[in-house]
Amino acid sequence: MTKTMVKMMLGTTVLVGVAVVSYQAGAAKAKVAIVTAAPEIKWEPLAGGPMMHAKLWGDRDKGPEYAMLLKVPGGGDSGMHTHTADYHAVAVQGTWVHTVEGDPASVKDLGPGSYVFQPGKQMHSDMCKGKQDCIIFVHQHGKGDFIQPKKPAADKAAAPAAPAAPAKK
């Protein structure tokens, strides 16, 4: 046998070995189907409410990846905020308005099926237009967080200095 043939056989053997081990590992964990009807979804307050979320997979508090349904009450507004990681979102119910700070073209009525990619560390807000609650599917590759804008520091230079006390003689 030539060296090339030996290398090919060795490479094939390693590849088959990896495939067998991967298959056995997958079979040992036996994946289980999950089927949940809408009325069975468990909604929990998000950061004290009024928004709610329902975990689909992963752990929002730990990462590194999770998906959830986000429920924004009709007329509700998150206010400007950002997240550390990027996320992908799809409107499922209601009319969602996702506004990117400084981008007036981003302000659109987003009905069911509408898609948003939101880069991390970019200020934005989410509002649910109308009386019907908005439900949004969110998938994030990272730990979930909600970062509000920093409040401007008080302008210390604007306050007049107290007059100095007269010196005693």
Side-chain angles (χ1 to χ4, degrees):
M1 271 199 262
T2 66
K3 284 186 177 182
T4 303
M5 287 180 68
V6 170
K7 285 182 182 179
M8 285 177 45
M9 288 177 58
L10 183 58
T12 302
T13 303
V14 169
L15 185 59
V16 169
V18 168
V20 167
V21 169
S22 296
Y23 175 77
Q24 289 174 340
K29 292 184 181 178
K31 295 178 185 176
V32 176
I34 299 171
V35 180
T36 307
E40 298 170 337
I41 292 173
K42 295 177 185 170
W43 293 98
E44 298 177 2
L46 182 63
M51 289 192 263
M52 306 284 282
H53 76 287
K55 174 183 168 181
L56 298 176
W57 68 80
D59 187 333
R60 182 177 189 277
D61 295 328
K62 295 179 184 174
E65 178 179 8
Y66 73 94
M68 69 176 180
L69 292 176
L70 175 66
K71 186 186 287 188
V72 181
D77 189 338
S78 67
M80 278 292 165
H81 65 281
T82 189
H83 310 280
T84 304
D86 302 346
Y87 72 78
H88 300 269
V90 177
V92 176
Q93 173 184 294
T95 303
W96 170 35
V97 180
H98 181 85
T99 303
V100 177
E101 185 178 52
D103 182 6
S106 71
V107 182
K108 298 177 184 176
D109 288 356
L110 303 171
S114 299
Y115 168 77
V116 167
F117 167 71
Q118 178 58 57
K121 301 177 181 86
Q122 183 181 50
M123 286 291 172
H124 62 278
S125 68
D126 298 292
M127 184 189 83
C128 183
K129 192 173 179 180
K131 294 181 180 180
Q132 181 183 34
D133 291 346
C134 290
I135 297 178
I136 304 158
F137 169 79
V138 178
H139 181 217
Q140 190 169 25
H141 293 281
K143 180 180 170 186
D145 56 10
F146 186 94
I147 304 165
Q148 294 180 322
K150 292 181 182 177
K151 294 180 182 178
D155 188 0
K156 295 178 184 176
K168 289 187 178 182
K169 292 185 180 184

